[in-house]
Amino acid sequence: ARTFITVSNDARCVSTASCFERAIFRRVRLCQAPSLTLSHKILGTAAVLGFVFTAAHPVAVLVTVLHDGAAWGVTAWSLNVAGYLAGVGFAFLCQEVSNKEATEEVKRMAFWILVWSSITFGVRVLDILMLTGAVVIEEIYHTPQAPTLYANIVSEIVVAFPYAS
């Protein structure tokens, strides 16, 4: 059953179930499986967070480079680029799986999403510990300050952590 609130003759979605049936999801090609399950909705939400990460992370990198410079070292740059490319790729994979009926191929794709998100969850926990200064691994990065810290909090904690979770 759908629940609506009428505000200025405009019906707005209230329940989560009906939100996934809204036109915006059709426009961005999310959650379009013939039989929409909770798994489809979770993967569609992950895809949205992944696409937000795709935009937020380069901003954090730009702020970091402008504020602290680009001399991060090969290890830090390699991990950064690899993590970003994996995040972008899995955002598209989540989008694709959110649109498909459950088949063996889709189950294999979902398995790799689970593997990736499990690994990334651990990386995000480590990242949060490094951002807060609780763990220091100089080869990856120094604990950021001011604008670099704030940009990374948005990119890595507010967006990337829920995306990986």
Side-chain angles (χ1 to χ4, degrees), residues 13-14 30 44 46-47 52 64 67 82 92-93 95 97 117 120 128 139:
C13 159
V14 173
L30 285 170
V52 171
T64 302
H67 187 263
F92 281 102
L93 187 58
Q95 177 191 26
V97 172
S117 65
T120 304
I128 290 169
E139 294 79 21

Side-chain angles (χ1 to χ4, degrees), residues 57-102:
H57 188 72
V59 172
V61 170
L62 180 63
V63 168
T64 302
V65 168
L66 292 175
H67 187 263
D68 298 331
W72 301 358
V74 173
T75 303
W77 274 108
S78 298
L79 291 172
N80 191 291
V81 171
Y84 178 74
L85 293 176
V88 171
F90 279 97
F92 281 102
L93 187 58
C94 288
Q95 177 191 26
E96 184 178 345
V97 172
S98 81
N99 293 320
K100 293 187 173 190
E101 196 64 41

Side-chain angles (χ1 to χ4, degrees), residues 50-62 84 151-152 154-156 159-160:
F51 293 128
V52 171
F53 171 76
T54 299
H57 188 72
V59 172
V61 170
L62 180 63
Y84 178 74
N152 277 277
V154 171
S155 172
E156 307 305 316
V159 177

Side-chain angles (χ1 to χ4, degrees), residues 31-55:
C31 299
Q32 300 303 301
S35 176
L36 199 59
T37 66
L38 179 60
S39 296
H40 290 102
K41 294 172 187 178
I42 290 170
L43 289 168
T45 303
V48 169
L49 289 168
F51 293 128
V52 171
F53 171 76
T54 299

Side-chain angles (χ1 to χ4, degrees), residues 4 10-13 18-26 32:
F4 292 95
D10 180 24
R12 299 195 188 267
C13 159
S18 60
C19 286
F20 285 98
E21 297 169 4
R22 305 268 308 185
I24 185 68
F25 284 94
R26 285 190 299 278
Q32 300 303 301

